[in-house]
Amino acid sequence: MSQQQISLPAKLINGGIAGIVGVTCVFPIDLAKTRLQNQRQGQQVYRNMMDCLVKTVRSEGYFGMYRGAAVNLTLVTPEKAIKLAANDFFRHHLSKDGKGLTVVKEMLAGCGAGMCQVIVTTPMEMLKIQLQDAGRLAAQQRKPAMMPAAVLGTTSAVQSRSYNVGAPAPAVRAVSATQIAQELLRTQGIQGLYKGLGATLMRDVPFSIVYFPLFANLNSLGKDSPEGTAPFYWSFLSGCAAGSTAAVAVNPCDVIKTRLQSLTKGANEETYSGVVDCFSKILRKEGPSAFLKGAGCRALVIAPLFGIAQVMYFVGVGEFILGQTPFNLYSS
């Protein structure tokens, strides 16, 4: 498949298939990651990923593990399409001389892709996190040492409508992403959906800078010739390796982003005014290890997600469906 063929409809199909399959497979792990990252010292509800998943199934049922999945399934198609197509676009324009890209130019292309995708990623993550973290807050308030409702402090309209914050032994009220989005737009305007934009850029731009060059170089090792295409399994493994490496590398930024985008806080949980304030409070009160919370979960989420995405992309499923290229698992 030619690197210079940039077909947006094909990218939408590739991104959609990869995103839907990937999210369906790994979303429960992503939910565990969010809940583990939002835990504070002394208020742990979950010991680790497996403990989180088991307690989630017991208290919320099987589908509790997919709380917030609808947001991801809806927005992951444009997100993946933007990310992959933008990287293609920038790589194409940075290699106009016909020569291969240097690592620096590959990093620049990845940087551009990361900056483009936050248009969709930020509101998607904002809504998803509220839904994912609701179960943790309810479980925390069900603990015997539950603090009185007054200790929780002032809550916003979004918080009080989304969750029964002050009720004894509360159960999380069913709330949809649409309701949260409407409330945010009504009370805060469009900037409400883009809360944590700076932290999202801090996470996604470095991620793409690491991921795309690493994937391109790993994937090139599986090619028979410089002009050929690596086998689908090699693209999958390369996507997994590059994705997990980049995910762990930027996990501190992901922790900060998750904390900033969580609208509802549990008893005695800190509030943050921005990225710097969040970083300093986490470092001072929880130590450096707090920035690695959920790193294992994130690696397990990102690895297959990007492995599947790269298989769809490099095999050319979208192009095959549109009749642009023949379907071929091994060579272009």
Side-chain angles (χ1 to χ4, degrees):
M1 196 167 54
S2 173
Q3 188 77 2
Q4 296 180 354
Q5 289 177 335
I6 302 177
S7 170
L8 184 57
K11 300 299 177 289
L12 285 168
I13 294 172
N14 289 331
I17 295 173
I20 291 169
V21 173
V23 166
T24 302
C25 293
V26 302
F27 194 84
I29 304 174
D30 186 62
L31 179 136
K33 181 219 63 153
T34 297
R35 294 186 178 184
L36 290 171
Q37 286 182 339
N38 262 330
Q39 289 191 141
R40 273 61 162 182
Q41 276 189 337
Q43 297 178 314
Q44 283 89 348
V45 178
Y46 313 109
R47 295 190 302 273
N48 49 48
M49 180 185 74
M50 287 306 302
D51 183 55
C52 178
L53 294 177
V54 169
K55 287 180 177 176
T56 298
V57 172
R58 285 177 179 172
S59 62
E60 302 172 52
Y62 174 80
F63 290 105
M65 295 191 298
Y66 285 89
R67 188 185 294 272
V71 180
N72 259 32
L73 291 171
T74 301
L75 296 178
V76 75
T77 296
E79 184 209 23
K80 287 290 178 289
I82 290 171
K83 191 183 191 82
L84 294 174
N87 181 65
D88 241 15
F89 175 82
F90 290 120
R91 287 177 70 92
H92 172 59
H93 284 278
L94 287 170
S95 61
K96 278 188 173 180
D97 55 2
K99 298 178 182 178
L101 289 174
T102 63
V103 174
V104 173
K105 287 186 176 182
E106 288 181 333
M107 293 173 71
L108 284 173
C111 176
M115 293 182 71
C116 290
Q117 78 168 90
V118 297
I119 297 170
V120 176
T121 303
T122 305
M124 179 180 76
E125 292 277 313
M126 182 71 184
L127 298 175
K128 182 193 72 174
I129 285 171
Q130 313 318 313
L131 298 171
Q132 285 184 328
D133 202 40
R136 180 190 69 87
L137 294 168
Q140 185 187 81
Q141 292 181 28
R142 282 196 295 267
K143 294 175 73 175
M146 186 183 72
M147 299 296 292
V151 179
L152 296 177
T154 305
T155 59
S156 68
V158 175
Q159 296 168 331
S160 59
R161 289 190 182 205
S162 300
Y163 313 109
N164 296 324
V165 174
V172 182
R173 186 192 307 173
V175 62
S176 68
T178 303
Q179 290 173 303
I180 297 174
Q182 288 175 341
E183 190 64 41
L184 282 169
L185 289 171
R186 188 183 68 82
T187 58
Q188 302 178 33
I190 191 67
Q191 64 266 31
L193 288 175
Y194 281 88
K195 183 179 181 181
L197 175 62
T200 305
L201 281 167
M202 282 175 52
R203 182 196 69 171
D204 289 349
V205 171
F207 177 92
S208 296
I209 289 174
V210 172
Y211 172 78
F212 282 111
L214 182 56
F215 170 79
N217 285 279
L218 288 174
N219 195 59
S220 66
L221 298 177
K223 295 180 180 180
D224 294 331
S225 64
E227 296 79 21
T229 302
F232 76 95
Y233 62 84
W234 193 270
S235 291
F236 175 78
L237 293 174
S238 298
C240 289
S244 58
T245 301
V248 173
V250 302
N251 197 74
C253 299
D254 191 54
V255 172
I256 293 172
K257 182 197 73 65
T258 300
R259 297 281 182 95
L260 287 174
Q261 289 187 319
S262 297
L263 296 175
T264 307
K265 308 295 182 183
N268 297 331
E269 289 184 353
E270 291 277 3
T271 57
Y272 311 105
S273 60
V275 172
V276 176
D277 180 56
C278 183
F279 174 81
S280 60
K281 284 181 178 177
I282 293 174
L283 185 63
R284 185 174 69 253
K285 298 192 174 185
E286 301 176 55
S289 62
F291 292 107
L292 292 178
K293 283 184 177 180
C297 294
R298 183 160 163 77
L300 289 174
V301 168
I302 295 297
L305 195 60
F306 277 84
I308 294 169
Q310 291 297 356
V311 169
M312 297 298 109
Y313 183 62
F314 277 86
V315 167
V317 174
E319 287 80 358
F320 172 73
I321 291 173
L322 295 175
Q324 296 175 357
T325 59
F327 186 73
N328 198 324
L329 294 178
Y330 293 96
S331 61
S332 59

